[in-house]
Amino acid sequence: MYCPYCKEELKVNNEELYCKAGVSYFSKHMEKVFNIAIDTSKEVKVQILKVESSEAGRFFCVNCGSKMMKIEAMHEVCKCCGFEINKRMFYEIVEINPHCSFR
Ligand SMILES: [Zn+2]
Ligand SMILES: [Zn+2]
């Protein structure tokens, strides 16, 4: 998995996903949410054509490391694999798993 903030590959540290560049830990809960999103990404891919003209999003894809595309505020999707960050995930990433170089 890749860090959604900086696309650094996430390492496991004390059983939690960890981004060295951002001194950022991702909770077990967040890991689970990422895994579920990766599982459902194949279904999302069907809708991706609509995203073609969208602007670049705020995050990188946790699944493949590509830059996410912004569908609407706090809702982003990866064009390459269909990984989706919805509003709830967006909020959780920013609020619960801060990253030192993110603003
Ligand atoms: Zn990072
Ligand atoms: Zn992706």
Side-chain angles (χ1 to χ4, degrees):
M1 276 192 217
Y2 298 94
C3 176
Y5 292 109
C6 69
K7 78 171 195 180
E8 188 83 11
E9 204 171 331
L10 295 175
K11 304 267 186 286
V12 177
N13 196 348
N14 293 323
E15 298 191 352
E16 288 196 328
L17 290 172
Y18 175 66
C19 170
K20 207 176 150 200
V23 199
S24 180
Y25 279 96
F26 293 89
S27 63
K28 277 276 158 210
H29 164 74
M30 208 65 235
E31 183 181 353
K32 210 163 101 187
V33 171
F34 287 153
N35 274 317
I36 292 167
I38 289 169
D39 276 349
T40 54
S41 65
K42 292 148 206 105
E43 296 154 40
V44 178
K45 201 167 183 198
V46 183
Q47 312 164 23
I48 290 179
L49 286 174
K50 283 186 273 180
V51 191
E52 213 61 52
S53 57
S54 306
E55 53 184 305
R58 204 165 172 187
F59 290 119
F60 291 96
C61 177
V62 172
N63 188 33
C64 73
S66 301
K67 188 74 180 166
M68 308 275 290
M69 299 307 280
K70 183 178 168 188
I71 302 176
E72 55 182 336
M74 297 178 78
H75 189 183
E76 300 183 1
V77 70
C78 171
K79 276 207 290 189
C80 300
C81 71
F83 181 82
E84 187 179 18
I85 292 180
N86 60 28
K87 285 192 170 122
R88 199 173 137 213
M89 275 171 77
F90 195 106
Y91 178 82
E92 285 182 338
I93 294 170
V94 175
E95 292 296 315
I96 309 170
N97 306 277
H99 192 275
C100 79
S101 63
F102 186 66
R103 60 197 111 217

